[in-house]
Amino acid sequence: MLDKPKGVKANEAYTETDDYMTRTFIMPLLFDEESRRRLISEHKANPVGTAPRNGRGHIEHSQDLRTVLDKLRRHPMTGKYVSICVRMFQEYKIGIASGVRGQPVKIFEETYSSEEACEHAIFLNRIADLMEKYS
């Protein structure tokens, strides 16, 4: 009978540190209704940021939104929401990665007319998942 991995093999230090940081820095931003609305509104207005062009500067997300996005980006590939381009500039869907190379992504039925709309829907799903996990 094999024992369940512990310590370094189970990546316990990372998991515990990530959980502490999430409870300390992320969840207060999301549990506060006003803060959560502000973050969602900011993300909806500009889901992917904007690079500088034609003499205009880039648009950067607020520090609070960057903090939340950094947390969401650290999610392991297994079960991670991904944007699927069905038809370039016309149709996008949300998928969930299996985390196993070569296994297909599970694709949801709902379609989005832009990459930005799809990215924002993914953001909302990730926020809902975090709220459920830490409630």
Side-chain angles (χ1 to χ4, degrees):
M1 177 179 196
L2 294 173
D3 291 329
K4 189 175 180 180
K6 293 188 176 257
V8 173
K9 286 185 179 182
N11 207 11
E12 286 177 353
Y14 171 80
T15 303
E16 292 299 319
T17 302
D18 184 62
D19 184 61
Y20 171 79
M21 291 173 65
T22 301
R23 289 181 190 281
T24 305
F25 301 109
I26 307 301
M27 297 319 296
L29 295 170
L30 298 179
F31 284 141
D32 178 65
E33 194 170 328
E34 183 179 323
S35 172
R36 184 175 64 249
R37 281 190 206 157
R38 181 178 43 80
L39 293 171
I40 289 171
S41 176
E42 179 184 353
H43 188 270
K44 185 175 185 174
N46 194 2
V48 294
T50 305
R53 62 182 155 192
N54 298 335
R56 290 189 293 162
H58 66 286
I59 296 175
E60 191 171 299
H61 293 131
S62 68
Q63 180 60 47
D64 287 346
L65 182 55
R66 286 192 315 248
T67 300
V68 171
L69 289 172
D70 286 346
K71 163 60 183 170
L72 299 178
R73 290 175 180 139
R74 288 193 307 266
H75 191 285
M77 281 308 293
T78 302
K80 189 171 193 169
Y81 294 105
V82 294
S83 178
I84 308 292
C85 178
V86 178
R87 284 195 321 248
M88 188 69 85
F89 306 114
Q90 293 179 25
E91 185 179 356
Y92 297 84
K93 292 187 178 193
I94 296 175
I96 296 184
S98 68
V100 178
R101 180 179 231 137
Q103 281 192 354
V105 172
K106 178 185 173 194
I107 300 175
F108 295 150
E109 289 298 315
E110 188 169 0
T111 62
Y112 301 91
S113 60
S114 70
E115 183 177 6
E116 290 80 7
C118 187
E119 289 295 331
H120 185 63
I122 289 171
F123 177 76
L124 295 175
N125 285 334
R126 289 176 176 168
I127 294 295
D129 290 352
L130 265 180
M131 300 278 295
E132 183 179 324
K133 179 178 178 181
Y134 285 94
S135 63

